[in-house]
Amino acid sequence: MASKMAFSIVWMLMLFWHCPILTYRPTEHGVEDPKIRRDHTEQDYHRDARSRECRRCCDPQESASQQYPQYQIAPQINMTILKGEKGEVGGRGAYGKPGRTGQTGPPGSTGIKGSKGSMGIPGEPCKSYFAAFSVGRKKGLHSNDYYQTLTFDTEIVNLYGHFNMFSGKFYCYVPGIYYFSLNVHTWNRKETYLHVMHNEKEVVVLYAQVSDRSIMQSQSLMLELERGDQVWVRLYKGERENAIFSDEFDVYITFNGHLIKHKDEL
């Protein structure tokens, strides 16, 4: 539709371009005076007669622009009429390069404290995956009973408190393979007779015969323990007097143990 209207406008402009244009001098009321028009016609006739007179070749020629004024109509086209329909939206262009990082702004105001959340699911009890102890005794001991538990008065290492200093026993809370060692000092001219006990069962013995001089004796072993097992040292009194030596200045008697491998890793 827009293209047809544009073609019609151009065709009308071409017709106006070829039509003759009559010049007139309007009056102050905007209407042409017939007398003025007649005078102009007579002047134009005499001017044309003069122009038809013979002239020499050397006489200067008046240009056509001096004889008759030229009138032209400048066509004006409304470009808004020729405007086509709106096209489709084009595709999105590529992202530009990121700009420079701006300065850090001031911190915002503190928000309102939120409401307390609901209680979560209870977690699992604390698990200990290792155990170790090392205890000593600074006092000598003579066996008065047939069986007597060896207790200790010096705590060197007692991880998680698995060794009970009052009962003299190690309680297993972490099942697995353990290593134990017992070191004692014998008494002059007295027998030394001890057992390393696993619950109520004798496992190994530490023994030294009667001698005129005292010596250091040791025993070591590994045990596989379950949760709740006990390991301790017991003095055994036979026909002879049983004793171990120590004093208040040095530690001559020690009992040690630690976990080698957890049961879950076996």
Side-chain angles (χ1 to χ4, degrees):
M1 184 67 183
S3 59
K4 290 183 179 181
M5 293 179 64
F7 179 78
S8 301
I9 294 173
V10 173
W11 180 254
M12 293 174 63
L13 293 175
M14 292 178 65
L15 290 175
F16 284 122
W17 180 267
H18 292 283
C19 291
I21 300 174
L22 297 177
T23 61
Y24 67 95
R25 182 174 298 175
T27 62
E28 59 181 358
H29 298 289
V31 180
E32 183 181 10
D33 191 351
K35 181 179 180 180
I36 296 174
R37 181 177 183 182
R38 184 174 58 255
D39 294 341
H40 277 281
T41 304
E42 293 177 358
Q43 293 177 3
D44 292 341
Y45 174 78
H46 293 294
R47 187 183 298 111
D48 293 339
R50 287 196 303 269
S51 63
R52 288 192 297 269
E53 294 178 359
C54 295
R55 294 177 179 277
R56 292 180 298 179
C57 297
C58 58
D59 292 339
Q61 299 292 332
E62 293 181 357
S63 61
S65 60
Q66 293 178 354
Q67 295 178 4
Y68 301 101
Q70 302 248 346
Y71 296 93
Q72 295 182 357
I73 298 176
Q76 294 183 358
I77 302 174
N78 189 358
M79 298 303 295
T80 58
I81 300 176
L82 302 179
K83 185 177 180 180
E85 297 179 357
K86 186 176 181 180
E88 297 180 356
V89 179
R92 187 174 183 178
Y95 286 99
K97 296 182 179 180
R100 296 180 179 179
T101 304
Q103 298 180 356
T104 303
S109 57
T110 304
I112 302 173
K113 184 178 180 180
S115 59
K116 186 177 181 180
S118 58
M119 183 178 294
I121 301 173
E124 297 181 357
C126 181
K127 294 182 179 180
S128 174
Y129 291 101
F130 195 72
F133 73 93
S134 178
V135 293
R137 183 182 175 95
K138 289 187 176 182
K139 294 181 180 180
L141 180 63
H142 289 76
S143 179
N144 298 321
D145 298 329
Y146 189 68
Y147 294 118
Q148 185 176 354
T149 303
L150 179 60
T151 58
F152 300 87
D153 53 22
T154 303
E155 185 180 70
I156 302 172
V157 173
N158 191 7
L159 188 62
Y160 307 120
H162 291 179
F163 190 90
N164 192 315
M165 296 295 291
F166 298 98
S167 64
K169 296 181 179 181
F170 169 75
Y171 294 88
C172 178
Y173 293 95
V174 184
I177 303 298
Y178 283 81
Y179 174 82
F180 296 96
S181 64
L182 175 64
N183 301 278
V184 300
H185 194 281
T186 64
W187 205 300
N188 295 345
R189 294 183 294 274
K190 293 183 180 180
E191 188 179 40
T192 301
Y193 202 158
L194 299 93
H195 286 108
V196 177
M197 305 292 293
H198 179 197
N199 295 328
E200 300 300 326
K201 179 181 179 182
E202 305 93 342
V203 182
V204 294
V205 62
L206 187 151
Y207 179 76
Q209 294 181 346
V210 178
S211 174
D212 293 336
R213 58 176 188 165
S214 60
I215 58 174
M216 292 293 298
Q217 291 283 87
S218 65
Q219 183 64 278
S220 59
L221 74 159
M222 286 192 296
L223 291 174
E224 184 175 358
L225 304 181
E226 297 293 337
R227 184 178 178 85
D229 286 352
Q230 302 175 17
V231 179
W232 50 289
V233 180
R234 185 187 68 180
L235 278 75
Y236 173 75
K237 181 181 179 182
E239 297 179 357
R240 301 174 183 178
E241 187 178 4
N242 188 8
I244 51 178
F245 174 80
S246 189
D247 59 32
E248 297 180 357
F249 302 99
D250 297 312
V251 178
Y252 287 89
I253 305 167
T254 59
F255 185 38
N256 312 290
H258 67 273
L259 177 67
I260 297 176
K261 200 170 188 66
H262 195 278
K263 183 179 180 180
D264 295 342
E265 300 176 0
L266 298 178

